[in-house]
Amino acid sequence: MRLLWRIRKRMRWLQLALLIGLGLVAVAQYDWSGNAGRMGDEAATPAPIANSRNISGRATVIDGDTLAVAGHRARIRLFGIDAPESSQPCLDGKGRRYDCGGRATASLAQLIGRDGNVVCRTKDVDAYQRLVAECGTAAGVSLNREMVRAGWAIDYVRYSGGRYSVEQRDARIARRGLWAGTFDAPAEWRQRSLK
């Protein structure tokens, strides 16, 4: 009798483990892009990361840390930096409110220049299905590094591991960009304001 009870108990555990395993397989197979069932709508599906290791082309600036590159479906989030959001206010050196997100966007566009061509090396995909990449101009200027150096983005240490800390220190000391006044770190501002 006791042996039969043990066998039944183990069978329940095996059934539970099997259900969990099937659930994990279903989650892994689900089309998280929201395009399930749409026929002929390939433009809405992000390019697979395996096919997007190196990306180059004419860039359009979305905001101070995000690009769109012609011929690629997924947007590109600049690795390791965080720029103010388009609706995020900052204060200048005299305490006047200004559009720091717009200024960061303009700074990135100026770095890219008129020809608009960039070369990006992807590192990851973020929660919004954007490719996370280190990008530079055709002339070899690092957009990630220069945005921090100009003071219009901060070193996003959580992801960069402090890769741009020297550029950030220099921008802060020289009071360039955001550092000329006061601002909230973009991640903190988003958490508080975009709920």
Side-chain angles (χ1 to χ4, degrees), residues 149-168:
R149 187 186 320 270
W152 291 114
I154 63 171
D155 181 17
Y156 207 175
V157 176
R158 176 179 175 187
Y159 299 104
S160 75
R163 178 178 290 195
Y164 308 111
S165 62
V166 171
E167 290 80 6
Q168 181 167 293

Side-chain angles (χ1 to χ4, degrees), residues 2-185:
R2 193 169 180 93
L3 178 63
L4 187 59
W5 179 80
R6 283 185 182 168
I7 292 172
R8 285 185 184 157
K9 187 175 178 181
R10 285 195 177 146
M11 289 298 287
R12 285 188 194 126
W13 280 109
L14 286 172
Q15 288 172 335
L16 180 62
L18 181 62
L19 284 173
I20 291 171
L22 289 173
L24 290 173
V25 168
V27 167
Q29 297 295 320
Y30 182 76
D31 178 10
W32 290 99
S33 68
N35 296 321
R38 288 192 211 162
M39 297 298 286
D41 194 16
E42 293 83 13
T45 307
I49 188 76
N51 296 335
S52 302
R53 201 66 190 136
N54 290 304
I55 292 176
S56 62
R58 188 167 179 79
T60 302
V61 176
I62 306 302
D63 62 28
D65 54 26
T66 310
L67 302 171
V69 176
H72 299 277
R73 296 180 197 127
R75 289 191 171 175
I76 298 171
R77 172 70 157 81
L78 297 179
F79 166 78
I81 71 170
D82 202 11
E85 298 298 318
S86 58
S87 57
Q88 181 176 344
C90 296
L91 300 177
D92 67 13
K94 295 181 180 178
R96 293 179 299 215
R97 194 176 169 140
Y98 75 100
D99 175 17
C100 55
R103 296 280 298 273
T105 302
S107 179
L108 182 56
Q110 185 177 7
L111 281 171
I112 292 171
R114 282 187 182 186
D115 78 353
N117 287 315
V118 297
V119 177
C120 299
R121 179 148 176 85
T122 60
K123 301 175 82 51
D124 202 356
V125 177
D126 72 6
Y128 302 100
Q129 296 302 305
R130 296 176 297 190
L131 299 174
V132 178
E134 292 183 82
C135 297
T137 65
V141 175
S142 168
L143 299 176
N144 309 51
R145 189 170 307 285
E146 290 305 315
M147 283 298 288
V148 176
R149 187 186 320 270
W152 291 114
I154 63 171
D155 181 17
Y156 207 175
V157 176
R158 176 179 175 187
Y159 299 104
S160 75
R163 178 178 290 195
Y164 308 111
S165 62
V166 171
E167 290 80 6
Q168 181 167 293
R169 184 194 69 222
D170 292 346
R172 187 173 52 239
I173 290 169
R175 302 189 57 76
R176 287 191 296 263
L178 299 168
W179 302 103
T182 58
F183 65 96
D184 292 323

